[in-house]
Amino acid sequence: MSNERQARLADRIRVLIAERIEKGLRDPRLGFVTITDVRVTGDLQHASVFYTVYGTDQERADSALALKAATGMLRSEVGKKLGVRLTPSLEFIPDGIPENAGHIEDLLREARERDASVAGLSASANYAGEADPYRKPREDEADED
């Protein structure tokens, strides 16, 4: 199987599931879910569906249960619309991108604060030696004479 075929199938599955979720599932537990990525195995038998949920931890947990309950129905719909001989099994995996992005923002803020404190210290600092520690070629020639 080619990687191109895997990518096309993964993209098609992502679109189909996103459209179906947008139309609404009959599960009140389902929150504001976004399908972020789909990865299909090389044999096209399994699809890992990555998603994020906007909301609280409880809404994330409820949405995970709702997606797990709807997996069979979503798989059969995907199978009908894909037109492939074997429909891949679906596995819904919460995507860690929002949490990682928050952590990265915290690290960047901390780095900016440290840079500002170092800049403040360097503004009032004096050189340990001369301001320009490098010897100039003309000085070398004058010393030799």
Side-chain angles (χ1 to χ4, degrees), residues 4-78:
E4 191 175 312
R5 185 169 180 207
Q6 272 179 268
R8 276 197 321 265
L9 187 66
D11 192 50
R12 186 74 182 124
I13 290 171
R14 184 183 57 78
V15 169
L16 291 171
I17 291 175
E19 285 175 352
R20 182 61 182 101
I21 288 174
E22 192 176 299
K23 287 180 193 170
L25 300 175
R26 289 197 182 113
D27 197 325
R29 299 175 294 184
L30 191 68
F32 187 71
V33 174
T34 302
I35 304 301
T36 56
D37 193 17
V38 175
R39 296 198 184 126
V40 179
T41 56
D43 61 1
L44 308 179
Q45 296 298 304
H46 182 76
S48 298
V49 182
F50 294 88
Y51 68 95
T52 60
V53 179
Y54 182 75
T56 63
D57 288 341
Q58 183 61 48
E59 287 171 318
R60 285 188 194 97
D62 289 346
S63 294
L65 292 172
L67 288 171
K68 189 172 179 73
T71 300
M73 181 273 297
L74 288 170
R75 182 178 182 215
S76 64
E77 274 197 32
V78 165

Side-chain angles (χ1 to χ4, degrees), residues 125-140:
N126 294 325
Y127 290 103
E130 296 177 28
D132 187 5
Y134 301 104
R135 294 178 66 176
K136 307 281 187 290
R138 289 191 182 135
E139 292 172 5
D140 291 343

Side-chain angles (χ1 to χ4, degrees), residues 58-119:
Q58 183 61 48
E59 287 171 318
R60 285 188 194 97
D62 289 346
S63 294
L65 292 172
L67 288 171
K68 189 172 179 73
T71 300
M73 181 273 297
L74 288 170
R75 182 178 182 215
S76 64
E77 274 197 32
V78 165
K80 287 177 196 169
K81 293 182 179 178
L82 274 182
V84 292
R85 189 168 53 90
L86 295 170
T87 303
S89 61
L90 302 178
E91 176 187 15
F92 288 93
I93 302 169
D95 199 336
I97 289 174
E99 293 80 18
N100 290 344
H103 181 65
I104 290 171
E105 280 298 318
D106 293 341
L107 292 173
L108 288 172
R109 182 178 29 75
E110 186 179 324
R112 279 192 298 272
E113 289 168 1
R114 286 185 182 173
D115 286 348
S117 69
V118 167

